[in-house]
């Protein structure tokens, strides 16, 4: 019985841990055109993505915390946006 209780606890803990992961995503544009193949960095996580043909990017499996999204579109000044993920919403 003791082993069964431990296995059930570990399964429940894994589900709760997965439920606390968040996503930051967006679509970049240059005027009315999508900003394809644009570098998007997430600090301090040290993650980097490149936008797809539609200018879309997504960072997944993020924890609650404060992040900075840094966008580098060729021909433009780099743009930084602070993002705070809380346990209830993202601002």
């Amino acid at each position: 019985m003791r082993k069964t209780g431990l296995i059930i606890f570990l399964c429940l803990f894994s589900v709760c841990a997965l439920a606390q992961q968040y996503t930051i995503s967006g679509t970049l544009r240059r005027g009315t055109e999508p900003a394809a193949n644009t570098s998007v960095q997430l600090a301090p996580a040290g993650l980097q993505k490149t936008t797809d043909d539609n200018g879309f990017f997504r960072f997944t499996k993020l924890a609650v915390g404060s992040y900075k999204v840094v966008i580098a579109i060729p021909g433009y000044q780099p743009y930084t946006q602070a993002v705070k993920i809380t346990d209830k919403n993202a601002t």
Side-chain angles (χ1 to χ4, degrees):
M1 183 64 176
R2 193 173 211 184
K3 285 185 181 181
T4 305
L6 179 59
I7 292 171
I8 292 171
F9 171 77
L10 291 176
C11 290
L12 291 174
F13 181 78
S14 296
V15 170
C16 292
L18 290 174
Q20 296 300 317
Q21 295 179 349
Y22 299 91
T23 299
I24 294 174
S25 62
T27 301
L28 303 181
R29 297 193 163 278
R30 281 188 209 121
T32 60
E33 297 296 317
N37 300 315
T38 298
S39 172
V40 182
Q41 297 177 344
L42 188 65
L47 301 174
Q48 182 171 335
K49 300 286 182 177
T50 301
T51 59
D52 65 12
D53 290 340
N54 297 315
F56 181 78
F57 69 92
R58 178 182 311 184
F59 294 100
T60 60
K61 300 181 182 177
L62 301 173
V64 169
S66 294
Y67 298 93
K68 288 185 181 177
V69 178
V70 181
I71 300 165
I73 299 175
Y76 292 84
Q77 296 261 339
Y79 176 79
T80 302
Q81 175 67 52
V83 178
K84 184 176 182 181
I85 298 175
T86 64
D87 59 355
K88 292 187 179 187
N89 62 16
T91 57

